[in-house]
Amino acid sequence: MKRAKARIHKLKILFAAQDIGGFQAIAPVMARLRKRGAYEVFCCAASEAAARAKRTGIACKNCGGLGEARLRDFFTDVSPDLLCVSTSFGNSLDKKLMRIAKAKKVLSLAIIDFWSHYRDRFDSLPDGLPDKICVMDGTVKKEMIIAGFPARVIEVTGNPFFDTFRTQKRNLKKGNAGHYIVFFEQPFSELFPQDDHRFFGFDEIEVWQDIAAALSRLEIKDIIKIKFHPRSRKINKFDEINRRHKLNVEIDERTSVEDLIEGSKLAMGMNSAVLFQAAMAGKKVLSYQPNLQQDDPLVSNKLGLSLGIYRKDELEKAIKSLLKKGIGLKNKKKIDYYVNNDATGKVLKIINKVLQK
């Protein structure tokens, strides 16, 4: 008689995200793990992350409506060996699950997806930090250590989402200089009141008013597409400004961010991660942050891959200059550090290391 094969017990990993940026950071890691089959992979999401998972066909339970007790039951049913989360503000899904993981003595790992508000991402975790925190670069690690995070928990891996970026090489090969201007909105007026410590010193209404006025004075005839952030609720907030300046504005709700970037001749906004993505694609990028009251979180400005403008009286000249410039090769070494870094593979190595403890 043939002997029955022993059943191999696979370790379980539960992934979780609440925001789109965070979900995009964990998605490549889940995809590679599911392809390899070495671990059992589970996913739960809330809010914009749940909508993104559904839209992209990624298997992920919507936990947005679960209270603490039901979320605890879900966690117990999965019984993960490792919790892997992206980070968000407030009492978010990732924090709720990390509290449960700590109570059950389950290992945890967090992935940070952007250069800002590090303490806010972990501020409601009285039982301590995750076992490991994966960050984009050495700058984040230094800033987190200054903010009081222990160096031993921080691993520089890059953001796995950056592995998926369309590159400047593709755009240059296609001769894609673009044929419209795109403005990527962020709903700061809806998210951060002026007395909030996260308030940057400006909001999207002030920023678009200044940009629209500058474009009008320059007599720009190009199509100007506005892409609202998924969290934006007041999508008519710019209507009066647009009527006043009579620009050729289109509100684009259907085109993907990737396609909007690829077809643009100039990408503008405040400090959205999408501007970083456009800069990595070799596009001309203007980041307008008037009267900025915090450190600039858009690292592409610091790298010289996008243009940061912080004063209203410099805006018009900057737009005019960028529109005159042709598309050209940006600093390949700087871009490769972020987009040809195999951040997904580096996060997987940290996962393996944590699970082998």
Side-chain angles (χ1 to χ4, degrees):
M1 292 179 63
K2 291 183 178 180
R3 295 178 63 184
K5 290 184 179 179
R7 187 174 180 181
I8 299 173
H9 171 69
K10 292 183 180 180
L11 296 177
K12 299 176 183 178
I13 304 176
L14 173 61
F15 287 85
Q18 177 156 314
D19 300 326
I20 282 185
F23 184 78
Q24 289 171 324
I26 65 172
V29 183
M30 289 192 295
R32 196 175 295 186
L33 284 173
R34 282 171 169 162
K35 185 176 181 180
R36 291 181 177 178
Y39 300 110
E40 281 194 74
V41 175
F42 300 84
C43 174
C44 70
S47 192
E48 292 89 5
R52 177 78 177 194
K54 183 177 180 180
R55 194 162 57 248
T56 53
I58 296 174
C60 198
K61 180 178 175 62
N62 188 338
C63 293
L66 300 185
E68 295 272 358
R70 290 180 63 194
L71 196 59
R72 196 177 302 111
D73 290 342
F74 166 74
F75 190 96
T76 301
D77 289 343
V78 174
S79 188
D81 298 284
L82 174 69
L83 172 67
C84 181
V85 302
S86 60
T87 56
S88 305
F89 300 146
N91 190 27
S92 50
L93 176 65
D94 47 287
K95 293 187 184 71
K96 294 173 184 176
L97 287 169
M98 280 197 280
R99 286 196 293 269
I100 295 170
K102 287 290 181 182
K104 292 181 174 290
K105 295 182 169 49
V106 172
L107 296 165
S108 59
L109 178 149
I111 300 174
I112 291 181
D113 63 287
F114 198 62
W115 293 261
S116 69
H117 301 117
Y118 309 121
R119 292 236 52 103
D120 290 326
R121 298 171 187 271
F122 302 99
D123 63 356
S124 61
L125 293 173
D127 297 323
L129 297 169
D131 295 277
K132 288 293 180 182
I133 302 174
C134 296
V135 303
M136 294 82 69
D137 58 20
T139 297
V140 179
K141 183 171 183 175
K142 289 177 185 176
E143 290 174 348
M144 289 182 70
I145 291 171
I146 291 171
F149 288 81
R152 60 182 170 76
V153 305
I154 305 169
E155 299 284 351
V156 177
T157 58
N159 181 343
F161 176 50
F162 299 167
D163 294 345
T164 71
F165 283 3
R166 297 178 188 174
T167 65
Q168 63 170 345
K169 183 178 179 181
R170 166 177 167 152
N171 282 316
L172 288 169
K173 186 176 181 181
K174 293 173 67 176
N176 188 7
H179 55 279
Y180 53 77
I181 296 169
V182 60
F183 176 78
F184 291 104
E185 180 264 3
Q186 293 167 274
F188 285 1
S189 68
E190 301 176 45
L191 298 175
F192 308 134
Q194 292 192 14
D195 59 353
D196 190 304
H197 71 280
R198 293 171 293 175
F199 179 65
F200 283 101
F202 54 86
D203 63 30
E204 75 281 11
I205 297 172
E206 176 190 356
V207 163
W208 177 243
Q209 164 60 43
D210 290 351
I211 289 176
L215 292 170
S216 181
R217 287 192 298 270
L218 290 168
E219 299 182 342
I220 299 300
K221 304 302 181 186
D222 297 287
I223 294 172
I224 302 161
K225 299 194 176 199
I226 295 177
K227 182 70 169 178
F228 282 98
H229 190 280
R231 285 197 219 169
S232 294
R233 297 294 175 261
K234 301 175 182 177
I235 60 173
N236 62 346
K237 66 180 79 175
F238 298 149
D239 288 358
E240 184 180 341
I241 297 171
N242 294 339
R243 282 193 295 268
R244 189 185 317 140
H245 293 290
K246 299 179 181 178
L247 297 167
N248 189 8
V249 172
E250 295 180 1
I251 306 300
D252 194 316
E253 298 180 3
R254 295 188 176 185
T255 309
S256 70
V257 164
E258 293 80 7
D259 287 342
L260 277 173
I261 289 172
E262 188 162 306
S264 69
K265 64 194 300 183
L266 172 62
M268 296 192 291
M270 298 184 292
N271 53 36
S272 168
V274 176
L275 296 182
F276 174 82
Q277 186 174 351
M280 294 300 106
K283 291 294 183 174
K284 292 181 283 187
V285 177
L286 187 144
S287 157
Y288 180 48
Q289 303 179 72
N291 306 309
L292 180 63
Q293 295 177 6
Q294 303 184 26
D295 289 339
D296 185 353
L298 190 62
V299 73
S300 54
N301 288 341
K302 299 173 185 176
L303 295 171
L305 300 173
S306 56
L307 178 60
I309 297 297
Y310 310 98
R311 290 172 43 181
K312 182 178 178 179
D313 60 3
E314 296 176 349
L315 178 61
E316 185 176 332
K317 182 180 178 181
I319 294 173
K320 185 177 181 180
S321 174
L322 284 173
L323 287 173
K324 278 186 175 180
K325 286 183 179 178
I327 186 170
L329 187 68
K330 291 186 178 181
N331 190 308
K332 186 176 184 298
K333 186 176 181 180
K334 290 180 181 178
I335 290 176
D336 282 348
Y337 177 82
Y338 291 98
V339 303
N340 291 319
N341 174 47
D342 189 24
T344 303
K346 291 179 180 178
V347 170
L348 289 178
K349 286 181 180 178
I350 302 302
I351 287 174
N352 290 333
K353 184 178 177 181
V354 170
L355 285 171
Q356 288 168 8
K357 281 186 176 181

